Amino acid sequence: MRTPVDPDRLVPALERAASAAGADAVEIALLGKAGEYTRFAGGRVHQPQDITETQYTVRALVDGHAARAATGVLGGLDAAVARAAELARALAKSAGGPGTATIAAPAGVPELELWHDDTAAFDAGARAALAAATMARAEAAGGHAAGMFGRAVTQLAVVNSAGVAHHTRATEAIGSLTATVEEGTSHWIDLHRSAAALDAERSVARTVREAVAGRGRGPLPDGRYTVVLGPQAAGELLGFLEAFGFSGELAAAGVGLVANRRGERVASTLVNVADDATSPYGLPIGFDLEGTPKSVVPLLTDGLVGAAVTDLASARVLGSASTGHAHVAREEPPSPVAANIVLSPGPYTEEELIAGVERGLYVQRFWYTRLVDRVAGTITGVSRDGCFLIENGRLAAPVAGARFTHSVLDLLATVDGVGRTVRSQPVMNVWNGAVSAPALRGHGFRFGAAA
C-alpha cells in the first residue's frame, strides 16, 4: 500500500520549514490519504479509483496572533510558511495588543494498533472478487447490487517550532452496499482499520436478505413507536450530539448541554458515549492537527452529561487543557470536532432487542437528517431502506420511508436495550471522522404528524 509522502523525508522537511524565521512560532500539519476504491453497479465493476490527497496546513504566530496558509505539495511549504508569517505579522501590527493564540508543547501520544496487514491484503483483486460475488448474490435473489469496497493509508504528521514532532500511518478499510430486489431495498456500510473486521461476506448476505424481505412495502401510519434502531440509524442520531453542546466552541460560548447541564441525567443509564481515539472501533488516531495527544472524552456516562471536546483555543477559554480535537475542514474555519464517537455496546443481539417488542418498528437507517432545535436536541429526517413493523417480537410487514421529527435526547432517555455488534460510518466533512454504534431500543419515537 502506498503512503502519500515518504516518511523518511517528511518530518525533517516539516521541521526545517517550522524553524523558519519571520514568526514567533510555526505549526505545520500534513493530512494525507492514499486510497484505492472498487465501485460496482449494473453487474460490473466501474469507476475503479486510486486517489492520493495531501494537504499541508501552516499556522504562524506573532505576538499571540495566528494566521494560516496551506499548500497541497511539499515543494510549496516554504511559500506557505512565509505567507502565514506575513499575515500573522500584519495581524499583530494592526491589533491593539497581544493575542492569545498558542502552539502545543511536546507530549507523548497513545500507542494504538493502526496498521493491519489484512487491510494491506485487501487489494484490487480481492475487492473485485468480493464485488463479483456480491453482485451474483443479488442477481440470484432477483435483484441487483451497487456499492464500493476500498482500502487506504491515512497519514498524519504534525511538527511545530516548540519541539512537537508526531507522525503516524494508519490503514483504513471500507465497504458499502445497496441491494435492491423489486421495490425492496437494504443498505450496509462499515469502516475499520482492519478489513477483516468488516465481516463483508456475512454483511452482504444479510443486506440481500433484507432487500428480498422488503418487497411489497406499505406506508407507515403516523404515530409514536417503540423502535429498534439498527447500528446505522443509531449512529446517525449520535452524530448530532456535538451540536447539542459537546463542542468546545459551544461550551465556551455558554451554549448547550455541557455549558448548562453538566452532570445532569439526560439519557438512560444504559447510554455511554465517548469520543474515544483509543477505541478499536471507527478510525482511531493518537493526536490532532495541533499535535496534542487525544484524550478520551466522556460525552454521556450512564446517561449523565460529561465534557466537551476542545482544541487549544476553546480549552483556553474554558480554563482547561486541550483534549486533542483540533480540526480544519474544507471551506470551514478551524474548530474542535468529535472525530471518533463511540456508543458502548451492550449484551443483546438485534434479534433479542426485537424479541422484546410487542408492537413497534425496526429502522435500518436515516437520511437527510437536519438539526431543528439545539437546546431540545430535536432533529428531522427520513427513515430509509430495510424498515419493518415489529409484531409479537418478530419482524413483520416492510414499510416505506417516513418523515420524522423527534428529540434525540428524548429517545436516549427511553433506551432499555443496547446491542452488542458495533458498526461504524464516516462523518461528513470530518477528516478521519467516524461514528460507531450498536443497535438500540427506545420508545415513543414520532413519525409523521403524531402528537
Side-chain angles (χ1 to χ4, degrees), residues 184 208-216 388 396-398:
V208 173
R209 286 198 306 271
E210 289 175 339
V212 172
R215 294 174 298 175
F388 300 86

Side-chain angles (χ1 to χ4, degrees), residues 12 36 107 139 212 217 244 319 375 424 442 444:
E36 305 169 10
E139 290 167 5
V212 172
R217 294 183 298 184
F244 303 157
V375 175
S424 302

Side-chain angles (χ1 to χ4, degrees), residues 53-112:
E53 303 174 276
T54 56
Q55 180 182 17
Y56 299 86
T57 65
V58 177
R59 189 166 65 111
L61 278 62
V62 174
D63 196 23
H65 296 277
R68 292 181 179 269
T71 180
V73 294
L74 191 59
L77 198 53
D78 289 341
V81 171
R83 177 60 175 160
E86 177 187 7
L87 293 171
R89 290 194 299 270
L91 286 172
K93 184 177 180 179
S94 63
T100 57
T102 60
I103 59 174
V109 300
E111 294 186 8
L112 305 173

Side-chain angles (χ1 to χ4, degrees), residues 39-421:
R39 291 179 170 82
F40 55 93
R44 63 185 180 88
V45 171
H46 71 107
Q47 294 182 343
Q49 292 179 310
D50 288 1
I51 303 173
T52 299
E53 303 174 276
T54 56
Q55 180 182 17
Y56 299 86
T57 65
V58 177
R59 189 166 65 111
L61 278 62
V62 174
D63 196 23
H65 296 277
R68 292 181 179 269
T71 180
V73 294
L74 191 59
L77 198 53
D78 289 341
V81 171
R83 177 60 175 160
E86 177 187 7
L87 293 171
R89 290 194 299 270
L91 286 172
K93 184 177 180 179
S94 63
T100 57
T102 60
I103 59 174
V109 300
E111 294 186 8
L112 305 173
E113 186 181 6
L114 301 180
W115 189 272
H116 290 262
D117 290 339
D118 57 12
T119 303
F122 196 38
D123 60 14
R127 298 193 306 273
L130 181 57
T134 299
M135 290 184 286
R137 181 180 288 272
E139 290 167 5
H144 59 270
M148 182 269 290
F149 298 113
R151 69 173 185 179
V153 175
T154 295
Q155 186 176 24
L156 176 62
V158 181
V159 167
N160 70 25
S161 54
V164 167
H166 301 314
H167 174 261
T168 193
R169 298 185 309 151
T171 55
E172 176 182 331
I174 185 168
S176 67
L177 168 65
T178 298
T180 303
V181 181
E182 298 176 11
E183 78 277 23
T185 63
S186 182
H187 183 77
W188 163 77
I189 189 169
D190 201 1
L191 53 82
H192 201 278
R193 296 291 182 210
S194 163
L198 301 181
D199 198 11
E201 293 183 3
R202 182 177 299 180
S203 298
V204 165
R206 171 176 172 164
T207 304
V208 173
R209 286 198 306 271
E210 289 175 339
V212 172
R215 294 174 298 175
R217 294 183 298 184
L220 178 69
D222 292 355
R224 290 183 176 268
Y225 291 83
T226 292
V227 291
V228 174
L229 303 183
Q232 291 168 238
E236 182 74 17
L237 299 190
L238 294 175
F240 281 90
L241 284 179
E242 187 173 39
F244 303 157
F246 290 99
S247 156
E249 281 190 330
L250 292 174
V255 176
L257 291 174
V258 174
N260 299 297
R261 301 182 66 182
R262 187 163 186 174
E264 291 186 28
R265 189 175 308 284
V266 297
S268 160
T269 57
L270 301 179
V271 176
N272 291 277
V273 185
D275 191 275
D276 186 359
T278 68
S279 166
Y281 305 115
L283 300 174
I285 210 157
F287 55 94
D288 70 2
L289 273 64
E290 293 175 332
T292 303
K294 282 186 175 287
S295 302
V296 178
V297 181
L299 307 181
L300 295 170
T301 302
D302 298 335
L304 303 176
V305 176
V309 298
T310 60
D311 55 8
L312 290 171
S314 58
R316 180 193 60 78
V317 176
L318 292 168
S320 61
S322 170
T323 62
H325 289 82
H327 186 265
V328 180
R330 287 185 175 93
E331 301 179 356
E332 292 184 7
S335 63
V337 168
N340 213 57
I341 296 174
V342 180
L343 171 63
S344 298
Y348 302 109
T349 65
E350 280 193 31
E351 291 75 15
E352 288 169 335
L353 293 175
I354 292 166
V357 178
E358 183 176 354
R359 293 186 64 82
L361 182 68
Y362 175 83
V363 181
Q364 184 178 88
R365 67 163 173 155
F366 298 119
W367 73 323
Y368 280 125
T369 52
R370 299 292 186 269
L371 179 65
V372 173
D373 186 328
R374 190 186 305 277
V375 175
T378 302
I379 67 171
T380 189
V382 179
S383 59
R384 187 181 185 190
D385 303 313
C387 296
F388 300 86
L389 294 174
I390 301 172
E391 296 181 358
N392 299 318
R394 299 175 66 88
L395 295 184
V399 291
R403 167 68 60 180
F404 74 90
T405 302
H406 197 75
S407 166
V408 175
L409 300 178
D410 286 354
L411 177 71
L412 293 180
T414 70
V415 168
D416 63 2
V418 180
R420 67 187 184 207
T421 300

